[in-house]
Amino acid sequence: MITLLYVTHPNEEHALKVSRVLVEEKLVACTNVFPIQSMYPWEGKIQSESEYVSILKTFPGLKDKVVDRMIQLHEYEVPCILSFAVEVNAEYKDWLLSCLK
C-alpha cells in the first residue's frame, strides 16, 4: 500500500512550487499536476473557480509529515488535503521507497 494525497491549489505555479519542495525534501516521490474547475460555498456565496490539483505519492508513514508540510506551504486559509490508501505494483512501490526518506 501507498498513500495518495489529493490537494487543490490556486494556480499551476503554486502547485508546482509546493510539489517541488515536497519532492526535494523526500516526503513524496512523485506528483501529478493538472487543471480543474471547482465549485464550493465560501463566505455565503457559491464560488466557481479554476484551480489546479496535485496528486502526491508517498508511504503511509510519511503522510502526517506531508500534510503538516503542505499546511505550512499552502496559500489557502483552508487547504483541501485528501488522502487515500491504494494498492500499487511491486516495482513502483520499490521505486517510491528508493525516492523517500
Side-chain angles (χ1 to χ4, degrees), residues 43-100:
E43 298 179 346
K45 296 180 183 177
I46 301 297
Q47 304 293 321
S48 181
E49 304 285 340
S50 294
E51 293 184 294
Y52 276 74
V53 69
S54 59
I55 297 177
L56 304 97
K57 295 137 189 159
T58 192
F59 278 104
L62 289 172
K63 182 189 83 163
D64 291 341
K65 288 181 181 180
V66 174
V67 170
D68 290 344
R69 190 68 172 119
M70 180 65 71
I71 290 169
Q72 291 173 352
L73 296 168
H74 211 288
E75 291 180 7
Y76 283 166
E77 182 179 336
V78 181
C80 170
I81 305 170
L82 310 176
S83 66
F84 306 89
V86 297
E87 294 182 19
V88 65
N89 61 306
E91 296 81 6
Y92 193 75
K93 184 178 179 180
D94 290 344
W95 176 79
L96 280 175
L97 185 58
S98 74
C99 296
L100 300 172

Side-chain angles (χ1 to χ4, degrees), residues 20-28 69 73 101:
R20 177 171 289 281
V21 169
L22 294 171
V23 170
E24 286 175 348
E25 293 179 358
K26 298 185 183 290
L27 293 173
V28 302
R69 190 68 172 119
L73 296 168
K101 287 184 175 179

